[in-house]
Amino acid sequence: MNKNTIEKSMANKKNKLNISYNISNNFEYVKSNISLLQAIELYGFNPVKKGTHYFILCPFHADKNPSLAIYKDVYHCYGCQAHGDVIDFTARYFNLTPLEAVKKLSYDFGIPLSGIEPNKEIQRKAIKRQKFNRLLKNFKRKYDETYDYLCKLFQAYTKIKSLVEEPDDMDLEAFVEACKYQDLIEYWIDTL
């Protein structure tokens, strides 16, 4: 072999090592910056907390009761035994290779990775989706708070009305308020 051939061969091996190193770093970078729970919520699931873990219906088999447990860094399905991290979940859910899953996660969460050209349109959509998800989460929280408050108010009005036994008590301000607003509160509860 001549000197040029050896140098080209060594340069190719060095480039392959650098690419392999970048890919490995990208995997670790994605795993350290995107939690499994964030990805699962972004992809349309609504995890329910039971004890110290979250659970969802497993998308990998016909699940009727939530059997996929979400731990800090990994998931495990007690029905079909599916198991893995955020990259494995994304790859399996979208039928992708692990490298394609890393790219998808980076695009969806707007995380730039070395060696992977960012897609501005996908990043813009990811940011828009994250804003929408935040708004939706805040709306759901406010909705639940309002519904709970209206239910408690309705119960309080019902209790006030049931406590009035004497005609003189009908002049009490709380009783008058209960009579005046209970039907409206019930309407609002039904509307929600």
Side-chain angles (χ1 to χ4, degrees), residues 140-154 185-186 188-192:
K140 287 179 180 178
R141 185 176 47 80
K142 288 294 185 185
Y143 171 89
D144 290 341
E145 289 173 7
T146 303
Y147 186 81
D148 290 344
Y149 174 75
L150 289 173
C151 288
K152 288 176 185 174
L153 194 57
F154 184 81
I185 299 296
E186 185 175 24
W188 288 341
I189 291 171
D190 290 343
T191 302
L192 287 176

Side-chain angles (χ1 to χ4, degrees), residues 41-135:
E41 287 176 335
L42 180 70
Y43 296 138
F45 295 93
N46 295 316
V48 176
K49 189 166 187 171
K50 293 181 183 176
T52 58
H53 309 298
Y54 288 89
F55 285 84
I56 61 170
L57 290 173
C58 181
F60 309 125
H61 74 280
D63 200 3
K64 294 185 180 177
N65 295 313
S67 64
L68 190 137
I70 303 161
Y71 301 95
K72 183 178 178 191
D73 297 327
V74 295
Y75 69 91
H76 179 78
C77 177
Y78 291 97
C80 69
Q81 304 306 312
H83 183 85
D85 59 19
V86 64
I87 296 170
D88 297 323
F89 181 87
T90 305
R92 188 167 185 171
Y93 184 64
F94 291 103
N95 195 24
L96 303 170
T97 66
L99 182 57
E100 290 170 333
V102 167
K103 289 179 182 180
K104 177 166 183 45
L105 286 163
S106 74
Y107 293 152
D108 290 349
F109 284 89
I111 296 173
L113 297 175
S114 62
I116 297 176
E117 196 62 36
N119 184 321
K120 299 293 183 189
E121 180 64 20
I122 291 175
Q123 286 180 329
R124 187 184 63 72
K125 286 180 181 178
I127 291 168
K128 189 175 180 180
R129 189 179 312 116
Q130 287 171 345
K131 286 180 182 178
F132 175 77
N133 286 341
R134 262 195 310 273
L135 284 172

Side-chain angles (χ1 to χ4, degrees), residues 5-18:
T5 308
I6 293 171
E7 286 176 359
K8 284 181 183 178
S9 176
M10 290 178 66
N12 284 340
K13 287 180 182 178
K14 184 178 179 184
N15 285 341
K16 287 180 182 178
L17 286 174
N18 283 339

